Amino acid sequence: MGLFAPLALLTLPLLAAIVALYLLRFRRPSAPVGSLHLWASLTRDREANSLWQRLNVQVLLMLQLLALLALILALARPWVPSEQVAGQNAIIVVDVSAGMGAGDATPGQQTTRLEAARAQALSIVDDLPQGATAALITTDEHATILVPPTSDKSRLRAALSGLQPHAAGTSMEEAMQLARALSSVQPNSVIRVLSDGVFPAVGGPELPALVQFYPLGTRSANQALTALSLNGQGSNLTLFAQVTNSDNLTVSRRLDLLLDGAPWNARTVTLSPGQTQEIVVEDVPMAARVVEAQLAGTDDLDVDDRAWVVNRVSAPANLLLVSEGDKFLETALALLPNITLYKVAPSDYDPTAGVDNTPFDLTIFDADAISATSAITLPAGNLLLVGPGASTSLFEVQGKVSDPVPQLSPLEGAASQGGEGRDPLLRFVDLSGLHVAAASRVAVPAWAHAVLDSDKGPLIVVGDDAGRKAGVIAFDLHESDLPVQTAFPLLVRNLVAYLLPDPSGGVPAEIKPGAVVGIEPVDKSINRVL
């Protein structure tokens, strides 16, 4: 309880003034008389009206005192705290982040914080005055107006019953911005925030409505796997894990590691209050497809005790080189890491061939495999054609040119600058000294672009044709000095890295629980005729 105008209590002495008026005697004039016996009754009346006498409580006195006291209290403006809605309209903000799934809302019970928030929000909805409205805002990484201002309590109850915690943080600043917008058009509003309070301080302009915060959760006994990654290191993999302790006590947890669902390793991690510890595990087998890390035991939040990482580098890509014997190209390809190179002569080439009934990831046709008179069926998968002598369904060859001069911008020709700002395929590749004796004049198709141009047409073209990546080197390597330049293996590496299918299938490197991932299927059954 409190007072908005406590200075009004300074008028309380007025109560004593009223009492004092009742205690004062009546004053009468003095006169000489012949005998006191005749004035006995007057003497008794004088004694009764002496200066101070015993207070005679009267109804009139009590009414006067109560009236003055009520007036003083009214001027002081007393208030008392209340759980009832202070305004006609309620704006309910419910935190649905991962922390709201912790089961410590009620001591001794397994009630989650979100369940407690739901119960409190339902109570707010039930207590709405007649004709009042309420809006429901949920917030995790982003805030959403789940229910706009409405007086339909059944709609609000249905929305609250469907709330679930999300594996994400809390964007309370966004939620307050939405609440500010709603309260600005809904006068006489009160904003009710139900959260565990695990979010940064919220700044910004002052809210035009009263804000009431309901803290949820009694403990912070939680340890979380906050990072997990897998990197190639020689013939083995290296696993990096990060564990964070949000408890105010020192805790020991066992970190179990599983390879493809089978137990493989375990580490005991001891964490001080608020400490984050990194764990590096080497010698993870290259053949492992999925590595799972999980914290043994239980804490207040289970969703962050497990994590998975997919091995994106373990499966080598299968390359097929169709050539009579280009040692320069074959050697450059053989030096690439995580590549399995197959070679076949043009006469023995089979477009349906593959590895374990799977088409090759990349097929490279050398100049001697493609002549102006031969017809060859292109295989499924991505392609690199070197020195083509004839047009194909992918591009058109418009004859031959002699002594094309590569055209490089000053930035592209400056190897010391690493090729910043140009095509990624020429990054750190210095082709300023390249000499080409002859090349095919290749018309750049609509699906491709020129990586390296010249005064007589493009020399290197790459692109994506309806999901199939393809590249063209317009000149025979034997008709240039490219194979003897230091840029050659770098260029081959960049081209192969671009043309190989994404080992992740286009899936992002990190996916949070509950996220939606789009996977585009690729039809590898399409054959094209050259």
Side-chain angles (χ1 to χ4, degrees):
M1 179 176 180
L3 298 173
F4 288 111
L7 293 178
L9 298 181
L10 296 177
T11 60
L12 284 175
L14 294 176
L15 297 172
I18 293 177
V19 175
L21 291 176
Y22 274 84
L23 293 176
L24 291 175
R25 70 178 181 86
F26 295 100
R27 296 184 178 273
R28 300 179 183 275
S30 300
V33 296
S35 174
L36 293 179
H37 294 287
L38 299 176
W39 305 94
S41 59
L42 180 61
T43 304
R44 289 192 297 270
D45 182 62
R46 180 181 179 183
E47 292 173 354
N49 289 280
S50 58
L51 181 61
W52 297 99
Q53 59 179 317
R54 182 181 299 228
L55 180 62
N56 184 18
V57 179
Q58 301 179 18
V59 176
L60 181 60
L61 172 63
M62 299 302 298
L63 291 176
Q64 292 173 340
L65 293 176
L66 290 175
L68 181 59
L69 181 60
L71 179 61
I72 294 173
L73 291 178
L75 294 175
R77 300 177 61 192
W79 58 266
V80 294
S82 173
E83 296 293 330
Q84 301 299 318
V85 179
Q88 183 74 6
N89 304 302
I91 300 173
I92 306 172
V93 179
V94 180
D95 186 353
V96 293
S97 62
M100 295 296 287
D104 64 335
T106 304
Q109 300 182 15
Q110 292 298 319
T111 304
T112 66
R113 298 173 184 177
L114 185 56
E115 290 172 349
R118 183 185 294 111
Q120 183 63 54
L122 288 172
S123 176
I124 294 173
V125 171
D126 293 338
D127 292 338
L128 286 175
Q130 183 68 28
T133 65
L136 178 59
I137 298 175
T138 58
T139 176
D140 46 25
E141 282 190 336
H142 299 285
T144 304
I145 300 179
L146 197 60
V147 179
T150 179
S151 58
D152 187 352
K153 294 185 178 181
S154 61
R155 181 182 178 185
L156 292 165
R157 295 189 188 100
L160 289 169
S161 63
L163 295 182
Q164 296 293 332
H166 300 161
T170 306
S171 178
M172 191 57 68
E173 186 169 359
E174 283 190 21
M176 289 297 99
Q177 290 175 356
L178 292 178
R180 181 181 295 109
L182 290 178
S183 60
S184 62
V185 297
Q186 290 279 348
N188 195 23
S189 296
V190 58
I191 301 173
R192 316 295 285 273
V193 180
L194 295 88
S195 171
D196 56 7
V198 184
F199 51 81
V202 178
E206 184 179 352
L207 293 168
L210 175 66
V211 179
Q212 295 182 344
F213 179 71
Y214 293 82
L216 301 167
T218 58
R219 302 190 307 267
S220 58
N222 183 60
Q223 295 78 46
L225 277 164
T226 52
L228 189 68
S229 63
L230 197 62
N231 299 301
Q233 184 69 31
S235 60
N236 292 304
L237 302 171
T238 300
L239 180 71
F240 172 82
Q242 182 175 273
V243 184
T244 301
N245 179 28
S246 60
D247 201 348
N248 53 7
L249 300 174
T250 299
V251 178
S252 292
R253 298 285 296 272
R254 190 180 76 246
L255 178 64
D256 295 331
L257 302 177
L258 296 84
L259 302 184
D260 299 326
W264 175 69
N265 202 338
R267 302 286 179 92
T268 299
V269 182
T270 301
L271 300 167
S272 302
Q275 180 186 3
T276 296
Q277 183 172 332
E278 291 78 24
I279 301 98
V280 177
V281 182
E282 299 178 344
D283 299 330
V284 179
M286 183 68 74
R289 299 298 301 159
V290 178
V291 180
E292 178 183 353
Q294 58 184 26
L295 293 172
T298 59
D299 54 21
D300 286 340
L301 189 61
D302 296 333
V303 69
D304 55 12
D305 289 348
R306 303 176 69 185
W308 294 262
V309 60
V310 177
N311 182 5
R312 294 171 177 255
V313 299
S314 64
N318 296 319
L319 267 66
L320 177 62
L321 175 60
V322 184
S323 173
E324 290 288 359
D326 189 332
K327 292 300 181 182
F328 293 109
L329 184 58
E330 184 177 346
T331 301
L333 294 172
L335 292 175
L336 296 177
N338 210 35
I339 293 294
T340 301
L341 179 63
Y342 298 85
K343 179 185 173 183
V344 66
S347 59
D348 298 328
Y349 167 69
D350 181 2
T352 63
V355 180
D356 297 331
N357 298 321
T358 302
F360 288 98
D361 297 300
L362 175 62
T363 302
I364 302 175
F365 291 93
D366 197 7
D368 52 16
I370 308 174
S371 67
T373 59
S374 64
I376 194 168
T377 302
L378 295 181
N382 299 343
L383 301 170
L384 175 61
L385 298 94
V386 181
S391 299
T392 73
S393 59
L394 295 178
F395 57 88
E396 181 182 359
V397 174
Q398 302 172 337
K400 300 280 287 188
V401 297
S402 300
D403 299 319
V405 179
Q407 294 179 341
L408 302 174
S409 67
L411 182 59
E412 292 175 330
S416 61
Q417 298 185 40
E420 295 290 347
R422 57 180 167 143
D423 196 294
L425 294 181
L426 294 183
R427 186 175 176 84
F428 300 110
V429 177
D430 181 12
L431 297 177
S432 58
L434 174 64
H435 296 89
V436 179
S440 299
R441 186 188 295 274
V442 176
V444 180
W447 52 266
H449 68 279
V451 173
L452 179 64
D453 213 336
S454 76
D455 60 337
K456 298 179 180 180
L459 298 179
I460 300 178
V461 176
V462 298
D464 190 320
D465 180 27
R468 167 186 280 183
K469 292 181 179 179
V472 179
I473 298 178
F475 54 91
D476 187 343
L477 296 180
H478 295 90
E479 296 184 335
S480 72
D481 59 359
L482 178 60
V484 298
Q485 295 196 20
T486 57
F488 178 62
L490 294 176
L491 177 63
V492 172
R493 183 199 63 182
N494 292 350
L495 283 171
V496 170
Y498 169 78
L499 294 172
L500 282 177
D502 186 354
S504 66
V507 177
E510 294 184 359
I511 306 173
K512 296 183 178 180
V516 177
V517 179
I519 300 177
E520 182 178 354
V522 178
D523 186 4
K524 291 189 176 183
S525 63
I526 301 175
N527 291 328
R528 301 184 182 223
V529 177
L530 181 65

